[in-house]
């Protein structure tokens, strides 16, 4: 029969006051400076009188529990990933943001005009989280369905074209689409002209619905290849076909993650993190992580498979629209040495603000 699983409560119950204090000091020193803490220095920091030899005995017990480890022989101790999780769950006190901090967040995210593109608001939210956390701020959101103004097809090669979409506020979106075999330059122009004549003031969804109901007219006005081109363009833009859930990921502050790196192993882990962020499927995975629990979620190191190779931590919270559907997520990515107690309320408030803006449209 399998042994019962040790819980956070079990570990907490096994620690006396001095063990808890020793552990807390080791973790806080690590989060503050990244340095291991040795028994001699630790004995000076403790509120109770404890000799270096006694501190070493306590550290040995904590090491046996899997909460700390020695990175090098005769070195001080650092928290393990399990130790960080234990600290976050059992010790960390999450405060609230001050009015000044709330005002600062709102001021940086709030749109400056009704015509400001949503993309700008998302970028500012990501940049703000990066600046306040000194990690990389991220925002994931579903692509909106803009009202269209103009469409153009630009041939890139015989089998591919760039579809340029211009929205009512002059926001531009480019998509590469596969061309039907044998499409000519005149057919590209014909397809674009047909869409421009029929799309004014409509979203992609509305346009696609209209085109479906205009099949007879489309068939009479466009040749077969141009009809196929129109359908392909609409499918790619509206997220149908291979990409069922078009989303965007905005990351700002990657340079923050380079600060203080001297170890080649740390640089390799950071490269793995950047590779993870470039993977398209990461968008949906991050949203799934945010959706699987209420409020702000903290993933440390390998606790989330998405960034397990780079050993990074992710603090993330979803935000919802007026119909209580999750439409995006905001968060911070960084090394395990993050100021969790400060970043959690920051991410939480930003998610609340994004939800409010999503519901009101601004």
């Amino acid at each position: 029969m399998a042994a019962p699983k040790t819980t956070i409560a079990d570990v907490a119950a096994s620690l006396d006051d001095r063990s808890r204090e020793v552990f807390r000091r080791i973790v806080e020193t690590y989060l503050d400076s990244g340095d291991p803490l040795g028994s001699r220095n630790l004995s000076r920091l403790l509120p109770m009188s404890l000799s270096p030899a006694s501190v070493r005995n306590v550290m040995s017990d904590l090491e046996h529990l899997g909460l700390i480890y020695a990175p090098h022989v005769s070195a001080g101790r650092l928290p393990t990933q399990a130790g960080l999780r234990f600290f976050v769950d059992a010790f960390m006190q999450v405060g609230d943001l001050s009015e000044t901090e709330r005002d600062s967040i709102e001021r940086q995210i709030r749109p400056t005009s009704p015509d400001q593109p949503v993309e700008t608001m998302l970028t500012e939210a990501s940049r703000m989280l990066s600046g306040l956390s000194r990690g990389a701020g991220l925002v994931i959101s579903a692509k909106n369905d803009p009202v269209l103004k103009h469409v153009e097809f630009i041939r890139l090669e015989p089998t591919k074209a760039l579809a340029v979409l211009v929205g009512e506020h002059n926001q531009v979106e480019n998509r590469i689409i596969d061309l039907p075999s044998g499409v000519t330059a005149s057919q590209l122009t014909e397809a674009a002209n047909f869409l421009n004549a029929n799309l004014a003031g409509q979203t992609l969804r509305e346009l696609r619905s209209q085109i479906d109901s205009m099949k007879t007219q489309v068939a009479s006005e466009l040749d077969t290849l141009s009809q196929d081109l129109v359908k392909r363009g609409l499918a790619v833009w509206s997220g149908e076909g291979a990409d069922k859930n078009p989303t965007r990921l905005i990351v700002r502050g990657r340079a923050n993650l380079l600060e203080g790196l001297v170890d080649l192993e740390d640089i390799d882990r950071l490269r793995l993190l950047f590779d993870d962020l470039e993977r398209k499927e990461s968008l949906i995975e991050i949203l799934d992580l945010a959706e699987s629990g209420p409020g702000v979620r903290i993933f440390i190191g390998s606790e989330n498979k998405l960034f397990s190779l780079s050993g990074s931590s992710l603090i993330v919270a979803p935000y919802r629209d007026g119909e209580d559907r999750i439409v995006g997520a905001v968060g911070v990515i960084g090394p395990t040495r993050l100021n969790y107690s400060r970043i959690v309320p920051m991410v939480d408030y930003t998610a609340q603000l994004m939800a409010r803006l999503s519901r009101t449209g601004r």
Side-chain angles (χ1 to χ4, degrees):
M1 189 168 77
K5 187 177 179 180
T6 302
T7 66
I8 291 293
D10 295 331
V11 175
S14 69
L15 301 181
D16 56 22
D17 288 344
R18 68 177 189 174
S19 297
R20 294 170 70 89
E21 188 63 24
V22 166
F23 173 70
R24 186 176 67 81
R25 296 284 181 169
I26 291 173
V27 175
E28 288 179 348
T29 297
Y30 167 72
L31 294 179
D32 181 58
S33 66
D35 297 329
L37 188 57
S39 56
R40 185 172 300 278
N41 287 333
L42 184 48
S43 67
R44 299 191 187 104
L45 296 174
L46 296 173
M48 71 280 291
S49 178
L50 210 59
S51 69
S54 298
V55 169
R56 284 193 292 273
N57 289 333
V58 174
M59 293 166 76
S60 177
D61 293 338
L62 294 171
E63 198 166 352
H64 179 71
L65 288 171
L67 298 178
I68 62 173
Y69 74 103
H72 307 289
V73 177
S74 300
R77 299 299 188 270
L78 291 174
T80 62
Q81 180 182 303
L84 282 174
R85 167 51 61 187
F86 174 55
F87 176 82
V88 166
D89 291 345
F91 286 81
M92 188 179 75
Q93 295 182 338
V94 177
D96 198 5
L97 297 177
S98 67
E99 284 300 318
T100 301
E101 290 171 319
R102 288 171 182 256
D103 290 343
S104 175
I105 292 174
E106 292 199 30
R107 188 167 55 253
Q108 293 180 68
I109 298 179
R110 187 185 300 119
T112 55
S113 73
D115 293 337
Q116 180 176 308
V118 173
E119 188 89 10
T120 302
M121 180 183 73
L122 299 176
T123 300
E124 288 304 316
S126 179
R127 183 179 290 114
M128 178 275 302
L129 284 171
S130 167
L132 293 178
S133 69
R134 302 308 300 164
L138 66 86
V139 176
I140 312 111
S141 75
K143 283 187 177 295
N144 60 334
D145 197 7
V147 174
L148 303 175
K149 188 167 73 172
H150 182 75
V151 169
E152 186 175 352
F153 294 111
I154 302 172
R155 183 190 293 277
L156 299 177
E157 54 186 78
T159 59
K160 292 188 181 298
L162 182 68
V164 182
L165 222 69
V166 181
E168 63 175 344
H169 299 306
N170 293 322
Q171 66 268 39
V172 178
E173 184 169 342
N174 299 321
R175 296 287 184 90
I176 294 177
I177 64 172
D178 294 321
L179 293 176
S181 178
V183 166
T184 65
S186 63
Q187 287 165 330
L188 286 173
T189 302
E190 183 183 14
N193 288 341
F194 179 84
L195 287 170
N196 288 324
N198 290 279
L199 61 73
Q202 297 186 77
T203 65
L204 279 172
R205 184 176 302 174
E206 292 167 343
L207 177 59
R208 185 174 181 85
S209 176
Q210 179 179 335
I211 295 296
D212 286 341
S213 65
M214 294 171 59
K215 287 181 180 177
T216 303
Q217 179 186 344
V218 173
S220 64
E221 292 189 18
L222 299 175
D223 63 34
T224 303
L225 287 177
S226 295
Q227 291 176 46
D228 194 9
L229 183 59
V230 168
K231 291 176 183 176
R232 288 178 189 228
L234 289 175
V236 170
W237 294 328
S238 61
E240 298 179 11
D243 186 7
K244 297 287 186 183
N245 298 292
T247 53
R248 55 190 155 196
L249 171 64
I250 298 175
V251 180
R252 290 292 181 273
R254 294 188 183 195
N256 291 340
L257 304 180
L258 293 167
E259 293 179 359
L261 288 186
V262 292
D263 195 303
L264 288 178
E265 185 178 342
D266 289 337
I267 295 174
D268 284 341
R269 282 202 299 268
L270 191 62
R271 179 180 54 78
L272 289 170
L273 171 60
F274 287 172
D275 289 344
D276 285 337
L277 288 173
E278 295 300 331
R279 291 189 302 122
K280 195 171 186 180
E281 59 267 29
S282 69
L283 306 178
I284 302 303
E285 290 184 33
I286 292 175
L287 281 176
D288 288 343
L289 290 174
E291 189 172 359
S292 59
V296 181
R297 305 206 67 206
I298 300 174
F299 300 91
I300 300 172
S302 61
E303 288 181 350
N304 94 77
K305 63 179 181 178
L306 182 57
F307 302 128
S308 60
L309 291 178
S310 61
S312 303
S313 286
L314 169 66
I315 302 174
V316 64
Y319 61 90
R320 301 172 182 269
D321 62 12
E323 299 177 13
D324 205 36
R325 298 173 302 186
I326 290 180
V327 293
V330 299
V332 171
I333 301 171
T336 55
R337 193 172 65 82
L338 284 172
N339 189 337
Y340 297 95
S341 62
R342 180 170 178 269
I343 295 174
V344 167
M346 184 191 309
V347 169
D348 185 35
Y349 187 70
T350 304
Q352 294 176 37
L353 183 57
M354 295 296 290
R356 190 191 318 159
L357 293 172
S358 297
R359 293 181 183 119
T360 61
R362 278 291 180 255

